[in-house]
Amino acid sequence: MTIFRNVSDRYQMEQTLRDSEERFRKIFEGSFDGMILWDWDYKIIDINPVAACYFECEREEMLNKSLQELLHTNNKFHREFQDHITKLKKNGVADYLFPIKRQNFTKYFEITSKGNLTSNMNLTVVRDITEKRALQEKLRKSDTLNIVGELAAGIAHEIRNPMTALKGFIQLLQSSIEEDHTLYFNIITSELARIESIITEFLVLAKPQAIQFQHQDIRKIMSDTIDLLNAQALMHNIEIDCHYPYQLPNAFCEGNQMKQVFINMIKNAIEVMPNGGKIEITIRYDEREQMIHTMIRDEGDGIPPDKIAKLGEPFYTTKERGTGLGLMISYKIIKEHRGRINVESEVGVGTTFHIYLPIQNG
């Protein structure tokens, strides 16, 4: 006996399911975001290539392993992960920010989960927002600099007006007083000139300066700077040790502004070593980058990694009585020179500032 059955509907349904599964697989594996499927026992059912790349693992080795193991939920992040799960069970959806430390930087991921996508299966989407955060940070710094610049311009303007009047009346007094008070008048005039120079430096924050860039010997600029600060260093029992090569290309820079940068850096180094120590200054030519590389190293307490990223921000300082303006001006000057500043530090050992300056225009 032969029985014939019409299985067209079943075949069509199976084909539809296969097509649907293939479409899901293509979307899952071809997504620009990382995706992880897991159950309520926190076992990973599947993980797409992007998520595997984010967490530096292989898909096959993570299947059936714990989601907590993938997310490295150690003691620091365990509570955040538990809060995430609690919100997910309560609201059906939850998200949180998840940082992963690499060797020299930190990656930031946005974790978004949807619970009960199907029976006992949840979906977590992972997005790399490191560049987005960096852009937001740049915008924030730019806004702060604009505000500080406007404030600096206003303060400088308000101070300069009475300064002009003071200088004028002092000159009148000097010519009208019969007794010889030349010493006093010279001190007053020199101090007023010093205040005026500080105001001029302060205006660097407010607007671009009309400066003339020239090819100059960084060794000469550094030597002049050290001559100015040697007395202060000796008072604090600090030795300044310099290493210059015999031959070095000239840097394309503005000498007075570079002297200002070096003064800020060396003064900072002196101030972080109240009990004495050594400042090591090395200047060399980086052939690969075609830049003059200046290193200023101190033996202070060092700077924690989370604070290094904030250096150069207005009013941010690691010193008790600092304002943060010195470093901010230095960062701004080096940026205008098309150079850069990198900071290396180890807590309890010291800090090294790396200043890179181009040798050519542009």
Side-chain angles (χ1 to χ4, degrees):
M1 180 174 66
T2 303
I3 299 173
F4 294 91
R5 292 190 181 89
N6 186 354
V7 293
S8 301
D9 291 342
R10 191 178 73 184
Y11 177 81
Q12 186 65 38
M13 189 181 296
E14 288 174 352
Q15 187 62 38
T16 303
L17 284 172
R18 280 194 294 269
D19 291 344
S20 177
E21 183 181 353
E22 187 178 353
R23 280 197 298 272
F24 166 77
R25 175 58 57 185
K26 284 182 178 178
I27 293 169
F28 184 77
E29 292 185 351
S31 171
F32 291 110
D33 296 323
M35 291 187 175
I36 307 163
L37 293 170
W38 50 282
D39 60 25
W40 285 116
D41 292 325
Y42 307 132
K43 284 186 179 178
I44 295 172
I45 299 168
D46 206 348
I47 178 171
N48 76 345
V50 176
C53 178
Y54 283 164
F55 295 104
E56 297 182 343
C57 65
E58 295 293 332
R59 173 183 175 273
E60 291 73 19
E61 70 182 28
M62 293 311 301
L63 296 181
N64 295 319
K65 287 197 175 179
S66 169
L67 180 67
Q68 294 159 297
E69 185 178 344
L70 177 70
L71 296 179
H72 309 291
T73 50
N74 52 25
N75 294 334
K76 185 177 179 181
F77 300 114
H78 181 71
R79 182 175 292 180
E80 292 179 12
F81 178 76
Q82 290 301 326
D83 290 343
H84 179 73
I85 296 298
T86 303
K87 288 177 185 176
L88 182 62
K89 288 180 178 178
K90 183 180 178 181
N91 304 322
V93 65
D95 55 34
Y96 78 109
L97 184 68
F98 182 74
I100 295 182
K101 287 191 176 180
R102 300 290 191 235
Q103 188 174 1
N104 298 319
F105 61 94
T106 301
K107 297 280 283 184
Y108 292 92
F109 297 104
E110 187 180 61
I111 306 287
T112 305
S113 297
K114 183 171 178 58
N116 298 319
L117 194 66
T118 61
S119 177
N120 195 29
M121 187 167 71
N122 311 299
L123 171 67
T124 292
V125 178
V126 185
R127 292 185 180 91
D128 186 351
I129 60 167
T130 307
E131 290 185 8
K132 181 181 174 183
R133 276 178 63 94
L135 182 60
Q136 288 173 341
E137 187 66 17
K138 282 183 181 178
L139 288 171
R140 186 185 67 79
K141 285 183 179 180
S142 177
D143 289 342
T144 310
L145 280 171
N146 287 337
I147 293 167
V148 171
E150 291 174 11
L151 179 66
I155 292 171
H157 179 72
E158 292 300 323
I159 292 173
R160 267 186 170 169
N161 287 340
M163 278 277 296
T164 306
L166 281 170
K167 285 171 73 176
F169 281 113
I170 284 167
Q171 286 171 357
L172 286 172
L173 279 170
Q174 192 172 5
S175 60
S176 61
I177 294 177
E178 294 180 0
E179 294 181 40
D180 186 16
H181 295 296
T182 306
L183 178 63
Y184 300 152
F185 282 117
N186 286 344
I187 292 170
I188 293 169
T189 306
S190 66
E191 289 303 304
L192 285 173
R194 185 166 170 267
I195 293 169
E196 196 166 20
S197 71
I198 291 169
I199 293 168
T200 304
E201 288 178 2
F202 204 42
L203 281 171
V204 171
L205 301 172
K207 61 182 179 181
Q209 303 296 301
I211 53 176
Q212 295 292 324
F213 288 88
Q214 295 176 342
H215 286 98
Q216 301 204 36
D217 189 346
I218 285 293
R219 296 170 298 185
K220 174 71 167 58
I221 297 171
M222 181 62 79
S223 296
D224 292 344
T225 306
I226 292 169
D227 289 342
L228 288 172
L229 297 173
N230 244 334
Q232 187 179 348
L234 289 171
M235 283 174 61
H236 291 82
N237 195 28
I238 290 170
E239 176 192 351
I240 300 178
D241 190 11
C242 302
H243 303 279
Y244 307 149
Y246 179 70
Q247 289 185 329
L248 188 75
N250 289 337
F252 191 70
C253 63
E254 204 287 320
N256 289 327
Q257 286 201 343
M258 286 313 304
K259 191 179 290 184
Q260 185 179 355
V261 170
F262 293 151
I263 286 171
N264 288 337
M265 298 289 184
I266 297 170
K267 277 183 71 177
N268 282 347
I270 291 170
E271 288 168 5
V272 298
M273 295 189 291
N275 300 319
K278 185 167 79 170
I279 298 171
E280 193 172 339
I281 298 171
T282 306
I283 302 175
R284 65 183 184 86
Y285 176 55
D286 191 322
E287 291 186 7
R288 185 173 61 85
E289 298 200 42
Q290 294 191 340
M291 284 185 160
I292 303 296
H293 179 193
T294 303
M295 289 168 278
I296 301 173
R297 183 183 179 278
D298 64 58
E299 296 177 345
D301 294 333
I303 307 168
D306 58 319
K307 293 184 178 180
I308 289 177
K310 295 182 180 180
L311 291 177
E313 289 188 16
F315 308 115
Y316 182 82
T317 178
T318 56
K319 296 180 292 186
E320 288 184 11
R321 300 181 63 184
T323 61
L325 291 176
L327 269 184
M328 184 178 68
I329 292 170
S330 299
Y331 272 73
K332 186 176 175 67
I333 288 171
I334 297 301
K335 186 178 178 182
E336 288 173 353
H337 279 69
R338 300 182 183 274
R340 71 177 189 275
I341 297 177
N342 296 339
V343 184
E344 236 184 326
S345 189
E346 188 176 344
V347 176
V349 177
T351 304
T352 305
F353 280 86
H354 298 268
I355 304 164
Y356 292 87
L357 279 177
I359 61 170
Q360 298 291 340
N361 183 12

